[in-house]
Amino acid sequence: MDENILGLIAGVLTSIASLPQLVKVFKTKNTDDISALMLIILISGLSLWVWYGAIQEEWPIIFSNAFAVLLNGILLLFKLSFKK
């Protein structure tokens, strides 16, 4: 198997892992059990992976982590917006 395809598959799977949580939060508008600090740390780490991927010109790393930044960024926005 081509290593880029393997990287894309791994990246897609890890990136979409937060999608069920995002859908649940969107439906329920409840973010009480989600840590904003965890999301900030995760987004920071994912952003560094995007930067690393850009330096290395590794498109699977760039795309998968950028997508994960987007999803988790939306989740963080929900966390900040749906405060009681």
Side-chain angles (χ1 to χ4, degrees):
M1 175 180 278
D2 181 357
E3 62 189 30
N4 285 324
I5 293 173
L6 181 62
L8 282 171
I9 292 169
V12 166
L13 291 175
T14 55
S15 296
I16 64 170
S18 61
L19 198 54
Q21 184 69 57
L22 186 61
V23 170
K24 181 179 179 182
V25 165
F26 183 74
K27 286 181 179 179
T28 65
K29 309 289 191 263
N30 183 347
T31 60
D32 293 342
D33 294 331
I34 298 173
S35 167
L37 180 59
M38 181 274 304
L39 289 171
I40 291 167
I41 293 168
L42 179 59
I43 291 167
S44 298
L46 292 167
S47 297
L48 289 173
W49 273 114
V50 172
W51 187 7
Y52 172 80
I55 292 169
Q56 298 295 319
E57 297 180 3
E58 292 287 340
W59 294 107
I61 293 172
I62 296 167
F63 289 133
S64 61
N65 287 289
F67 184 67
V69 166
L70 176 67
L71 290 181
N72 286 290
I74 293 169
L75 194 53
L76 180 59
L77 287 175
F78 284 168
K79 174 69 177 171
L80 299 174
S81 299
F82 298 150
K83 283 187 173 181
K84 291 181 181 178

